[in-house]
PDB file of all heavy atoms in Angstrom:
ATOM      1  N   ASP A 222      94.378   8.294 134.862  1.00 92.00           N
ATOM      2  CA  ASP A 222      95.461   7.928 133.952  1.00 92.00           C
ATOM      3  C   ASP A 222      95.001   8.056 132.480  1.00 92.00           C
ATOM      4  O   ASP A 222      95.653   7.556 131.600  1.00 92.00           O
ATOM      5  CB  ASP A 222      95.877   6.487 134.251  1.00 92.00           C
ATOM      6  CG  ASP A 222      97.114   6.109 133.494  1.00 92.00           C
ATOM      7  OD1 ASP A 222      97.985   6.999 133.245  1.00 92.00           O
ATOM      8  OD2 ASP A 222      97.263   4.923 133.106  1.00 92.00           O
ATOM      9  N   CYS A 223      93.836   8.675 132.359  1.00 94.00           N
ATOM     10  CA  CYS A 223      93.249   8.753 131.014  1.00 94.00           C
ATOM     11  C   CYS A 223      93.669  10.077 130.383  1.00 94.00           C
ATOM     12  O   CYS A 223      93.214  11.153 130.765  1.00 94.00           O
ATOM     13  CB  CYS A 223      91.727   8.668 131.165  1.00 94.00           C
ATOM     14  SG  CYS A 223      90.936   8.454 129.572  1.00 94.00           S
ATOM     15  N   LEU A 224      94.555  10.009 129.419  1.00 95.00           N
ATOM     16  CA  LEU A 224      95.089  11.251 128.820  1.00 95.00           C
ATOM     17  C   LEU A 224      94.432  11.498 127.462  1.00 95.00           C
ATOM     18  O   LEU A 224      94.418  10.624 126.607  1.00 95.00           O
ATOM     19  CB  LEU A 224      96.629  11.089 128.592  1.00 95.00           C
ATOM     20  CG  LEU A 224      97.304  12.176 127.738  1.00 95.00           C
ATOM     21  CD1 LEU A 224      97.192  13.544 128.379  1.00 95.00           C
ATOM     22  CD2 LEU A 224      98.756  11.797 127.539  1.00 95.00           C
ATOM     23  N   THR A 225      93.908  12.682 127.344  1.00 95.00           N
ATOM     24  CA  THR A 225      93.327  13.096 126.065  1.00 95.00           C
ATOM     25  C   THR A 225      94.150  14.211 125.454  1.00 95.00           C
ATOM     26  O   THR A 225      94.392  15.232 126.097  1.00 95.00           O
ATOM     27  CB  THR A 225      91.865  13.565 126.265  1.00 95.00           C
ATOM     28  OG1 THR A 225      91.206  12.568 126.967  1.00 95.00           O
ATOM     29  CG2 THR A 225      91.210  13.849 124.920  1.00 95.00           C
ATOM     30  N   VAL A 226      94.554  14.013 124.222  1.00 96.00           N
ATOM     31  CA  VAL A 226      95.336  15.011 123.524  1.00 96.00           C
ATOM     32  C   VAL A 226      94.562  15.479 122.325  1.00 96.00           C
ATOM     33  O   VAL A 226      94.242  14.675 121.440  1.00 96.00           O
ATOM     34  CB  VAL A 226      96.752  14.494 123.104  1.00 96.00           C
ATOM     35  CG1 VAL A 226      97.561  15.569 122.414  1.00 96.00           C
ATOM     36  CG2 VAL A 226      97.480  13.965 124.310  1.00 96.00           C
ATOM     37  N   VAL A 227      94.300  16.776 122.251  1.00 96.00           N
ATOM     38  CA  VAL A 227      93.567  17.277 121.064  1.00 96.00           C
ATOM     39  C   VAL A 227      94.320  18.475 120.481  1.00 96.00           C
ATOM     40  O   VAL A 227      95.019  19.200 121.195  1.00 96.00           O
ATOM     41  CB  VAL A 227      92.147  17.736 121.472  1.00 96.00           C
ATOM     42  CG1 VAL A 227      91.320  16.572 121.942  1.00 96.00           C
ATOM     43  CG2 VAL A 227      92.164  18.842 122.529  1.00 96.00           C
ATOM     44  N   GLU A 228      94.130  18.615 119.176  1.00 97.00           N
ATOM     45  CA  GLU A 228      94.725  19.769 118.545  1.00 97.00           C
ATOM     46  C   GLU A 228      93.815  20.992 118.795  1.00 97.00           C
ATOM     47  O   GLU A 228      92.577  20.886 118.638  1.00 97.00           O
ATOM     48  CB  GLU A 228      94.904  19.583 117.030  1.00 97.00           C
ATOM     49  CG  GLU A 228      95.616  20.733 116.379  1.00 97.00           C
ATOM     50  CD  GLU A 228      96.008  20.507 114.937  1.00 97.00           C
ATOM     51  OE1 GLU A 228      95.765  19.364 114.433  1.00 97.00           O
ATOM     52  OE2 GLU A 228      96.537  21.451 114.350  1.00 97.00           O
ATOM     53  N   VAL A 229      94.362  22.092 119.112  1.00 96.00           N
ATOM     54  CA  VAL A 229      93.609  23.343 119.312  1.00 96.00           C
ATOM     55  C   VAL A 229      94.109  24.379 118.311  1.00 96.00           C
ATOM     56  O   VAL A 229      95.289  24.363 117.900  1.00 96.00           O
ATOM     57  CB  VAL A 229      93.731  23.864 120.745  1.00 96.00           C
ATOM     58  CG1 VAL A 229      92.992  23.002 121.715  1.00 96.00           C
ATOM     59  CG2 VAL A 229      95.164  24.020 121.160  1.00 96.00           C
ATOM     60  N   GLU A 230      93.221  25.234 117.870  1.00 94.00           N
ATOM     61  CA  GLU A 230      93.556  26.175 116.846  1.00 94.00           C
ATOM     62  C   GLU A 230      93.470  27.626 117.385  1.00 94.00           C
ATOM     63  O   GLU A 230      92.660  27.895 118.286  1.00 94.00           O
ATOM     64  CB  GLU A 230      92.666  26.027 115.647  1.00 94.00           C
ATOM     65  CG  GLU A 230      92.946  24.668 114.969  1.00 94.00           C
ATOM     66  CD  GLU A 230      92.224  24.498 113.621  1.00 94.00           C
ATOM     67  OE1 GLU A 230      91.498  25.497 113.261  1.00 94.00           O
ATOM     68  OE2 GLU A 230      92.448  23.496 112.984  1.00 94.00           O
ATOM     69  N   THR A 231      94.301  28.449 116.855  1.00 95.00           N
ATOM     70  CA  THR A 231      94.235  29.856 117.249  1.00 95.00           C
ATOM     71  C   THR A 231      94.713  30.717 116.036  1.00 95.00           C
ATOM     72  O   THR A 231      95.560  30.232 115.248  1.00 95.00           O
ATOM     73  CB  THR A 231      95.124  30.152 118.470  1.00 95.00           C
ATOM     74  OG1 THR A 231      95.071  31.547 118.709  1.00 95.00           O
ATOM     75  CG2 THR A 231      96.586  29.743 118.259  1.00 95.00           C
ATOM     76  N   ASP A 232      94.163  31.906 115.959  1.00 93.00           N
ATOM     77  CA  ASP A 232      94.626  32.808 114.903  1.00 93.00           C
ATOM     78  C   ASP A 232      95.847  33.579 115.322  1.00 93.00           C
ATOM     79  O   ASP A 232      96.556  34.140 114.474  1.00 93.00           O
ATOM     80  CB  ASP A 232      93.512  33.792 114.529  1.00 93.00           C
ATOM     81  CG  ASP A 232      92.340  33.035 113.822  1.00 93.00           C
ATOM     82  OD1 ASP A 232      92.623  31.999 113.237  1.00 93.00           O
ATOM     83  OD2 ASP A 232      91.189  33.503 113.925  1.00 93.00           O
ATOM     84  N   ALA A 233      96.036  33.653 116.634  1.00 95.00           N
ATOM     85  CA  ALA A 233      97.162  34.452 117.114  1.00 95.00           C
ATOM     86  C   ALA A 233      98.506  33.719 116.888  1.00 95.00           C
ATOM     87  O   ALA A 233      98.526  32.489 116.943  1.00 95.00           O
ATOM     88  CB  ALA A 233      96.980  34.767 118.620  1.00 95.00           C
ATOM     89  N   THR A 234      99.528  34.503 116.650  1.00 95.00           N
ATOM     90  CA  THR A 234     100.857  33.856 116.531  1.00 95.00           C
ATOM     91  C   THR A 234     101.475  33.859 117.930  1.00 95.00           C
ATOM     92  O   THR A 234     101.856  34.884 118.442  1.00 95.00           O
ATOM     93  CB  THR A 234     101.733  34.654 115.562  1.00 95.00           C
ATOM     94  OG1 THR A 234     101.068  34.726 114.295  1.00 95.00           O
ATOM     95  CG2 THR A 234     103.076  34.014 115.445  1.00 95.00           C
ATOM     96  N   VAL A 235     101.566  32.690 118.463  1.00 97.00           N
ATOM     97  CA  VAL A 235     102.193  32.565 119.792  1.00 97.00           C
ATOM     98  C   VAL A 235     103.634  32.025 119.580  1.00 97.00           C
ATOM     99  O   VAL A 235     104.619  32.574 120.042  1.00 97.00           O
ATOM    100  CB  VAL A 235     101.404  31.649 120.723  1.00 97.00           C
ATOM    101  CG1 VAL A 235     102.103  31.535 122.055  1.00 97.00           C
ATOM    102  CG2 VAL A 235      99.984  32.178 120.868  1.00 97.00           C
ATOM    103  N   VAL A 236     103.705  30.874 118.904  1.00 97.00           N
ATOM    104  CA  VAL A 236     105.021  30.329 118.534  1.00 97.00           C
ATOM    105  C   VAL A 236     105.203  30.616 117.071  1.00 97.00           C
ATOM    106  O   VAL A 236     104.605  30.000 116.192  1.00 97.00           O
ATOM    107  CB  VAL A 236     105.036  28.802 118.841  1.00 97.00           C
ATOM    108  CG1 VAL A 236     106.395  28.242 118.410  1.00 97.00           C
ATOM    109  CG2 VAL A 236     104.796  28.544 120.270  1.00 97.00           C
ATOM    110  N   GLY A 237     106.072  31.592 116.808  1.00 97.00           N
ATOM    111  CA  GLY A 237     106.283  32.042 115.404  1.00 97.00           C
ATOM    112  C   GLY A 237     107.441  31.259 114.733  1.00 97.00           C
ATOM    113  O   GLY A 237     107.946  30.286 115.305  1.00 97.00           O
ATOM    114  N   THR A 238     107.802  31.782 113.637  1.00 97.00           N
ATOM    115  CA  THR A 238     108.914  31.129 112.914  1.00 97.00           C
ATOM    116  C   THR A 238     110.221  31.339 113.690  1.00 97.00           C
ATOM    117  O   THR A 238     110.412  32.339 114.393  1.00 97.00           O
ATOM    118  CB  THR A 238     109.017  31.667 111.474  1.00 97.00           C
ATOM    119  OG1 THR A 238     109.998  30.886 110.755  1.00 97.00           O
ATOM    120  CG2 THR A 238     109.459  33.131 111.445  1.00 97.00           C
ATOM    121  N   SER A 239     111.144  30.416 113.550  1.00 97.00           N
ATOM    122  CA  SER A 239     112.406  30.492 114.263  1.00 97.00           C
ATOM    123  C   SER A 239     113.517  30.072 113.370  1.00 97.00           C
ATOM    124  O   SER A 239     113.368  29.142 112.559  1.00 97.00           O
ATOM    125  CB  SER A 239     112.374  29.610 115.513  1.00 97.00           C
ATOM    126  OG  SER A 239     113.615  29.542 116.080  1.00 97.00           O
ATOM    127  N   THR A 240     114.654  30.730 113.521  1.00 96.00           N
ATOM    128  CA  THR A 240     115.837  30.325 112.798  1.00 96.00           C
ATOM    129  C   THR A 240     117.032  30.064 113.732  1.00 96.00           C
ATOM    130  O   THR A 240     118.148  29.871 113.285  1.00 96.00           O
ATOM    131  CB  THR A 240     116.232  31.430 111.747  1.00 96.00           C
ATOM    132  OG1 THR A 240     116.467  32.643 112.491  1.00 96.00           O
ATOM    133  CG2 THR A 240     115.194  31.637 110.733  1.00 96.00           C
ATOM    134  N   SER A 241     116.771  30.180 114.997  1.00 97.00           N
ATOM    135  CA  SER A 241     117.886  30.043 115.969  1.00 97.00           C
ATOM    136  C   SER A 241     117.413  29.545 117.282  1.00 97.00           C
ATOM    137  O   SER A 241     116.198  29.542 117.566  1.00 97.00           O
ATOM    138  CB  SER A 241     118.583  31.404 116.130  1.00 97.00           C
ATOM    139  OG  SER A 241     117.681  32.317 116.777  1.00 97.00           O
ATOM    140  N   VAL A 242     118.325  29.198 118.133  1.00 98.00           N
ATOM    141  CA  VAL A 242     117.989  28.797 119.527  1.00 98.00           C
ATOM    142  C   VAL A 242     117.360  29.943 120.236  1.00 98.00           C
ATOM    143  O   VAL A 242     116.389  29.795 120.947  1.00 98.00           O
ATOM    144  CB  VAL A 242     119.237  28.234 120.235  1.00 98.00           C
ATOM    145  CG1 VAL A 242     118.939  28.024 121.701  1.00 98.00           C
ATOM    146  CG2 VAL A 242     119.749  26.963 119.625  1.00 98.00           C
ATOM    147  N   ALA A 243     117.971  31.140 120.048  1.00 97.00           N
ATOM    148  CA  ALA A 243     117.481  32.330 120.810  1.00 97.00           C
ATOM    149  C   ALA A 243     115.979  32.596 120.445  1.00 97.00           C
ATOM    150  O   ALA A 243     115.190  32.887 121.312  1.00 97.00           O
ATOM    151  CB  ALA A 243     118.359  33.508 120.500  1.00 97.00           C
ATOM    152  N   GLU A 244     115.669  32.547 119.171  1.00 98.00           N
ATOM    153  CA  GLU A 244     114.268  32.753 118.769  1.00 98.00           C
ATOM    154  C   GLU A 244     113.355  31.670 119.270  1.00 98.00           C
ATOM    155  O   GLU A 244     112.210  31.912 119.685  1.00 98.00           O
ATOM    156  CB  GLU A 244     114.181  32.853 117.234  1.00 98.00           C
ATOM    157  CG  GLU A 244     114.791  34.167 116.667  1.00 98.00           C
ATOM    158  CD  GLU A 244     114.823  34.204 115.151  1.00 98.00           C
ATOM    159  OE1 GLU A 244     114.411  33.236 114.516  1.00 98.00           O
ATOM    160  OE2 GLU A 244     115.247  35.249 114.625  1.00 98.00           O
ATOM    161  N   SER A 245     113.862  30.452 119.291  1.00 98.00           N
ATOM    162  CA  SER A 245     113.047  29.352 119.780  1.00 98.00           C
ATOM    163  C   SER A 245     112.818  29.482 121.299  1.00 98.00           C
ATOM    164  O   SER A 245     111.737  29.153 121.796  1.00 98.00           O
ATOM    165  CB  SER A 245     113.693  28.014 119.482  1.00 98.00           C
ATOM    166  OG  SER A 245     113.836  27.852 118.092  1.00 98.00           O
ATOM    167  N   LEU A 246     113.831  29.996 121.998  1.00 98.00           N
ATOM    168  CA  LEU A 246     113.652  30.215 123.431  1.00 98.00           C
ATOM    169  C   LEU A 246     112.595  31.310 123.664  1.00 98.00           C
ATOM    170  O   LEU A 246     111.790  31.233 124.591  1.00 98.00           O
ATOM    171  CB  LEU A 246     114.970  30.677 124.088  1.00 98.00           C
ATOM    172  CG  LEU A 246     116.006  29.590 124.323  1.00 98.00           C
ATOM    173  CD1 LEU A 246     117.345  30.195 124.743  1.00 98.00           C
ATOM    174  CD2 LEU A 246     115.569  28.631 125.435  1.00 98.00           C
ATOM    175  N   GLU A 247     112.585  32.310 122.808  1.00 98.00           N
ATOM    176  CA  GLU A 247     111.626  33.421 122.956  1.00 98.00           C
ATOM    177  C   GLU A 247     110.214  32.880 122.684  1.00 98.00           C
ATOM    178  O   GLU A 247     109.242  33.175 123.403  1.00 98.00           O
ATOM    179  CB  GLU A 247     111.995  34.574 122.009  1.00 98.00           C
ATOM    180  CG  GLU A 247     110.936  35.687 121.954  1.00 98.00           C
ATOM    181  CD  GLU A 247     110.777  36.409 123.309  1.00 98.00           C
ATOM    182  OE1 GLU A 247     111.529  36.156 124.262  1.00 98.00           O
ATOM    183  OE2 GLU A 247     109.803  37.202 123.373  1.00 98.00           O
ATOM    184  N   ASN A 248     110.103  32.048 121.660  1.00 98.00           N
ATOM    185  CA  ASN A 248     108.810  31.383 121.361  1.00 98.00           C
ATOM    186  C   ASN A 248     108.326  30.513 122.521  1.00 98.00           C
ATOM    187  O   ASN A 248     107.160  30.483 122.876  1.00 98.00           O
ATOM    188  CB  ASN A 248     108.936  30.543 120.092  1.00 98.00           C
ATOM    189  CG  ASN A 248     108.963  31.396 118.818  1.00 98.00           C
ATOM    190  OD1 ASN A 248     108.414  32.544 118.843  1.00 98.00           O
ATOM    191  ND2 ASN A 248     109.544  30.884 117.766  1.00 98.00           N
ATOM    192  N   LEU A 249     109.291  29.771 123.124  1.00 98.00           N
ATOM    193  CA  LEU A 249     108.976  28.941 124.269  1.00 98.00           C
ATOM    194  C   LEU A 249     108.451  29.811 125.423  1.00 98.00           C
ATOM    195  O   LEU A 249     107.457  29.449 126.084  1.00 98.00           O
ATOM    196  CB  LEU A 249     110.236  28.167 124.679  1.00 98.00           C
ATOM    197  CG  LEU A 249     110.177  27.278 125.918  1.00 98.00           C
ATOM    198  CD1 LEU A 249     109.125  26.201 125.774  1.00 98.00           C
ATOM    199  CD2 LEU A 249     111.529  26.679 126.186  1.00 98.00           C
ATOM    200  N   ARG A 250     109.114  30.934 125.655  1.00 97.00           N
ATOM    201  CA  ARG A 250     108.673  31.814 126.735  1.00 97.00           C
ATOM    202  C   ARG A 250     107.271  32.344 126.441  1.00 97.00           C
ATOM    203  O   ARG A 250     106.423  32.393 127.325  1.00 97.00           O
ATOM    204  CB  ARG A 250     109.662  32.985 126.913  1.00 97.00           C
ATOM    205  CG  ARG A 250     109.365  33.884 128.073  1.00 97.00           C
ATOM    206  CD  ARG A 250     110.169  35.176 128.022  1.00 97.00           C
ATOM    207  NE  ARG A 250     109.849  36.013 126.880  1.00 97.00           N
ATOM    208  CZ  ARG A 250     108.739  36.784 126.799  1.00 97.00           C
ATOM    209  NH1 ARG A 250     107.909  36.818 127.808  1.00 97.00           N
ATOM    210  NH2 ARG A 250     108.478  37.477 125.717  1.00 97.00           N
ATOM    211  N   ARG A 251     107.020  32.766 125.199  1.00 97.00           N
ATOM    212  CA  ARG A 251     105.711  33.250 124.863  1.00 97.00           C
ATOM    213  C   ARG A 251     104.611  32.229 125.085  1.00 97.00           C
ATOM    214  O   ARG A 251     103.550  32.526 125.681  1.00 97.00           O
ATOM    215  CB  ARG A 251     105.671  33.711 123.383  1.00 97.00           C
ATOM    216  CG  ARG A 251     106.414  35.039 123.108  1.00 97.00           C
ATOM    217  CD  ARG A 251     106.716  35.185 121.657  1.00 97.00           C
ATOM    218  NE  ARG A 251     105.539  35.179 120.801  1.00 97.00           N
ATOM    219  CZ  ARG A 251     104.808  36.274 120.470  1.00 97.00           C
ATOM    220  NH1 ARG A 251     105.232  37.454 120.879  1.00 97.00           N
ATOM    221  NH2 ARG A 251     103.767  36.162 119.708  1.00 97.00           N
ATOM    222  N   LEU A 252     104.851  30.994 124.651  1.00 97.00           N
ATOM    223  CA  LEU A 252     103.880  29.953 124.844  1.00 97.00           C
ATOM    224  C   LEU A 252     103.667  29.664 126.316  1.00 97.00           C
ATOM    225  O   LEU A 252     102.548  29.515 126.804  1.00 97.00           O
ATOM    226  CB  LEU A 252     104.297  28.659 124.082  1.00 97.00           C
ATOM    227  CG  LEU A 252     103.381  27.446 124.229  1.00 97.00           C
ATOM    228  CD1 LEU A 252     101.961  27.777 123.718  1.00 97.00           C
ATOM    229  CD2 LEU A 252     103.966  26.259 123.475  1.00 97.00           C
ATOM    230  N   ALA A 253     104.782  29.589 127.054  1.00 97.00           N
ATOM    231  CA  ALA A 253     104.725  29.272 128.480  1.00 97.00           C
ATOM    232  C   ALA A 253     103.914  30.330 129.230  1.00 97.00           C
ATOM    233  O   ALA A 253     103.046  30.008 130.063  1.00 97.00           O
ATOM    234  CB  ALA A 253     106.123  29.213 129.083  1.00 97.00           C
ATOM    235  N   GLU A 254     104.134  31.575 128.943  1.00 96.00           N
ATOM    236  CA  GLU A 254     103.457  32.661 129.652  1.00 96.00           C
ATOM    237  C   GLU A 254     102.027  32.853 129.167  1.00 96.00           C
ATOM    238  O   GLU A 254     101.152  33.184 129.965  1.00 96.00           O
ATOM    239  CB  GLU A 254     104.278  33.957 129.512  1.00 96.00           C
ATOM    240  CG  GLU A 254     105.645  33.842 130.223  1.00 96.00           C
ATOM    241  CD  GLU A 254     106.420  35.144 130.297  1.00 96.00           C
ATOM    242  OE1 GLU A 254     105.916  36.151 129.775  1.00 96.00           O
ATOM    243  OE2 GLU A 254     107.518  35.111 130.914  1.00 96.00           O
ATOM    244  N   GLU A 255     101.806  32.633 127.874  1.00 96.00           N
ATOM    245  CA  GLU A 255     100.454  32.804 127.332  1.00 96.00           C
ATOM    246  C   GLU A 255      99.509  31.713 127.899  1.00 96.00           C
ATOM    247  O   GLU A 255      98.381  32.003 128.312  1.00 96.00           O
ATOM    248  CB  GLU A 255     100.494  32.637 125.815  1.00 96.00           C
ATOM    249  CG  GLU A 255      99.140  32.623 125.090  1.00 96.00           C
ATOM    250  CD  GLU A 255      98.464  33.957 125.025  1.00 96.00           C
ATOM    251  OE1 GLU A 255      98.987  34.921 125.634  1.00 96.00           O
ATOM    252  OE2 GLU A 255      97.363  34.067 124.454  1.00 96.00           O
ATOM    253  N   ARG A 256      99.995  30.477 128.005  1.00 94.00           N
ATOM    254  CA  ARG A 256      99.112  29.392 128.462  1.00 94.00           C
ATOM    255  C   ARG A 256      98.778  29.579 129.958  1.00 94.00           C
ATOM    256  O   ARG A 256      97.814  29.027 130.448  1.00 94.00           O
ATOM    257  CB  ARG A 256      99.748  28.061 128.156  1.00 94.00           C
ATOM    258  CG  ARG A 256     100.648  27.598 129.242  1.00 94.00           C
ATOM    259  CD  ARG A 256     101.751  26.627 129.009  1.00 94.00           C
ATOM    260  NE  ARG A 256     102.797  27.009 129.958  1.00 94.00           N
ATOM    261  CZ  ARG A 256     103.265  26.136 130.834  1.00 94.00           C
ATOM    262  NH1 ARG A 256     102.926  24.896 130.845  1.00 94.00           N
ATOM    263  NH2 ARG A 256     104.200  26.554 131.696  1.00 94.00           N
ATOM    264  N   LEU A 257      99.616  30.290 130.663  1.00 92.00           N
ATOM    265  CA  LEU A 257      99.376  30.513 132.095  1.00 92.00           C
ATOM    266  C   LEU A 257      98.710  31.852 132.374  1.00 92.00           C
ATOM    267  O   LEU A 257      98.448  32.228 133.503  1.00 92.00           O
ATOM    268  CB  LEU A 257     100.655  30.394 132.903  1.00 92.00           C
ATOM    269  CG  LEU A 257     101.336  29.032 132.940  1.00 92.00           C
ATOM    270  CD1 LEU A 257     102.653  29.095 133.752  1.00 92.00           C
ATOM    271  CD2 LEU A 257     100.423  27.951 133.490  1.00 92.00           C
ATOM    272  N   GLY A 258      98.478  32.621 131.287  1.00 92.00           N
ATOM    273  CA  GLY A 258      97.792  33.913 131.414  1.00 92.00           C
ATOM    274  C   GLY A 258      98.716  35.007 131.916  1.00 92.00           C
ATOM    275  O   GLY A 258      98.266  36.085 132.287  1.00 92.00           O
ATOM    276  N   LYS A 259     100.032  34.796 131.896  1.00 93.00           N
ATOM    277  CA  LYS A 259     100.957  35.850 132.344  1.00 93.00           C
ATOM    278  C   LYS A 259     101.033  36.923 131.312  1.00 93.00           C
ATOM    279  O   LYS A 259     101.372  38.081 131.606  1.00 93.00           O
ATOM    280  CB  LYS A 259     102.341  35.270 132.604  1.00 93.00           C
ATOM    281  CG  LYS A 259     102.427  34.418 133.838  1.00 93.00           C
ATOM    282  CD  LYS A 259     103.853  33.978 134.089  1.00 93.00           C
ATOM    283  CE  LYS A 259     103.973  33.235 135.378  1.00 93.00           C
ATOM    284  NZ  LYS A 259     105.322  32.771 135.605  1.00 93.00           N
ATOM    285  N   ILE A 260     100.838  36.582 130.034  1.00 94.00           N
ATOM    286  CA  ILE A 260     100.732  37.579 128.978  1.00 94.00           C
ATOM    287  C   ILE A 260      99.449  37.262 128.236  1.00 94.00           C
ATOM    288  O   ILE A 260      98.923  36.145 128.327  1.00 94.00           O
ATOM    289  CB  ILE A 260     101.935  37.560 128.029  1.00 94.00           C
ATOM    290  CG1 ILE A 260     102.160  36.161 127.402  1.00 94.00           C
ATOM    291  CG2 ILE A 260     103.188  38.039 128.689  1.00 94.00           C
ATOM    292  CD1 ILE A 260     103.168  36.079 126.292  1.00 94.00           C
TER     293      ILE A 260
END
Side-chain angles (χ1 to χ4, degrees):
Chain A
D222 189 33
C223 190
L224 169 64
T225 307
V226 180
V227 296
E228 183 172 358
V229 289
E230 294 189 356
T231 177
D232 292 332
T234 302
V235 180
V236 179
T238 189
S239 171
T240 57
S241 65
V242 172
E244 286 175 358
S245 298
L246 283 171
E247 175 61 10
N248 285 334
L249 176 61
R250 186 192 64 78
R251 285 163 60 90
L252 178 59
E254 295 188 356
E255 173 73 356
R256 88 204 149 122
L257 296 179
K259 288 185 175 178
I260 56 172

